[in-house]
Amino acid sequence: MNLITTLYALKEWSVAINALESGKTIMLLRKGGIHEQNGRFQVAHEQVLLYPTFEHQQSFLLKSEYADLVCPVTPGWHPETVRIGSWAEITDILPISEESTVNALLPFHIWNEHFICDRLKWKPRQPLYIILLRTYKIPKVQEIPYLPQYGGCKSWIDLAQLINIEGATSVLSDSHYSAIVKEIRTIVGD
C-alpha cells in the first residue's frame, strides 16, 4: 500500500459508507449508475476514497438496523461540504445473477431482500456485482466543498483536490478481513 494521496472516489450511500467504516460490512452491491459507460458497472480504480451520497438513500431498501440511520433529503439536495473519512482497496469483484446466491449473502451486507430483488430485476441481463472492500480510516477527516461535477448517477468521480490518506488504519485486521472474504467466496462458489 504505497498510496499517500488520491483524488479518485467511489460514490455510495452515506449509510453504506458508515457501515464500511465501522466494520459492519465489507460488501457493496452494484449494477452501475445511469451515467456509467455502456450503462454497466466497471471498476475505474482499485484504491478509492469513499464519497458519501444522500439523495437516493431509501430506508425501505435497508435492513431494519440501518433504516433509521437514513436522513431523507429532497431530490437534487446536496450538502455544502462532503465528509471524506476513509478510503478502500477493492479486493474482489464477483458477478452474481442468481437470486438464491445473493440472498445467501444477506448476513454480509446492509440491504434487505427488497433491494436485492429490485437490483436483480433492473437490467436483468446484467449481473449484480458483489464488491468487497478493505476499508481504511484516514487520520484526519477532510471536509471538501461539494461541486456540481460530483452530482449525478455515476459511481466514480475525480475530486478537485487531493486527499491525504497517509497514516490510514485498516478497519478490520488482516485475518478478520480474510476470513469474511473466504466465507463470501465460498457462498459465491469462487
Side-chain angles (χ1 to χ4, degrees), residues 98-162:
E98 297 297 320
E99 187 170 354
S100 61
T101 304
V102 182
N103 283 333
L105 295 169
L106 271 170
F108 297 95
H109 59 76
I110 67 171
W111 293 279
N112 62 24
E113 294 90 343
H114 184 73
F115 178 88
I116 292 167
C117 183
D118 183 57
R119 291 287 84 195
L120 287 171
K121 286 180 182 174
W122 186 63
K123 297 182 181 181
R125 292 188 182 130
Q126 292 183 21
L128 180 64
Y129 292 96
I130 307 301
I131 313 299
L132 304 184
L133 300 98
R134 180 84 191 266
T135 304
Y136 298 83
K137 292 179 97 172
I138 58 177
K140 186 172 189 279
V141 172
Q142 307 268 326
E143 290 283 339
I144 62 169
Y146 173 84
L147 299 176
Q149 66 259 30
Y150 301 160
C153 294
K154 52 192 170 194
S155 298
W156 309 100
I157 56 174
D158 294 348
L159 302 181
Q161 66 189 74
L162 287 171

Side-chain angles (χ1 to χ4, degrees), residues 6-172:
T6 189
L7 52 77
Y8 306 121
L10 171 62
K11 291 174 60 177
E12 184 54 75
W13 290 3
S14 177
V15 67
I17 290 177
N18 288 339
L20 288 165
E21 288 180 348
S22 63
K24 293 179 180 168
T25 190
I26 66 165
M27 181 187 296
L28 297 178
L29 306 174
R30 283 299 181 95
K31 273 233 177 154
I34 293 168
H35 300 296
E36 301 290 348
Q37 186 176 11
N38 302 321
R40 294 175 178 251
F41 180 77
Q42 298 173 345
V43 173
H45 304 280
E46 291 179 354
Q47 297 175 326
V48 291
L49 297 162
L50 297 176
Y51 181 101
T53 61
F54 300 88
E55 185 176 358
H56 298 295
Q57 294 187 117
Q58 300 289 329
S59 58
F60 72 91
L61 296 174
L62 296 163
K63 293 176 186 172
S64 59
E65 62 264 37
Y66 299 99
D68 290 340
L69 302 175
V70 172
C71 298
V73 299
T74 58
W77 179 88
H78 57 78
E80 289 183 25
T81 61
V82 178
R83 177 196 173 278
I84 305 293
S86 58
W87 74 277
E89 178 181 5
I90 297 170
T91 64
D92 295 81
I93 305 158
L94 308 167
I96 307 287
S97 296
E98 297 297 320
E99 187 170 354
S100 61
T101 304
V102 182
N103 283 333
L105 295 169
L106 271 170
F108 297 95
H109 59 76
I110 67 171
W111 293 279
N112 62 24
E113 294 90 343
H114 184 73
F115 178 88
I116 292 167
C117 183
D118 183 57
R119 291 287 84 195
L120 287 171
K121 286 180 182 174
W122 186 63
K123 297 182 181 181
R125 292 188 182 130
Q126 292 183 21
L128 180 64
Y129 292 96
I130 307 301
I131 313 299
L132 304 184
L133 300 98
R134 180 84 191 266
T135 304
Y136 298 83
K137 292 179 97 172
I138 58 177
K140 186 172 189 279
V141 172
Q142 307 268 326
E143 290 283 339
I144 62 169
Y146 173 84
L147 299 176
Q149 66 259 30
Y150 301 160
C153 294
K154 52 192 170 194
S155 298
W156 309 100
I157 56 174
D158 294 348
L159 302 181
Q161 66 189 74
L162 287 171
I163 302 293
N164 185 343
I165 61 170
E166 190 172 22
T169 56
S170 176
V171 170
L172 299 175

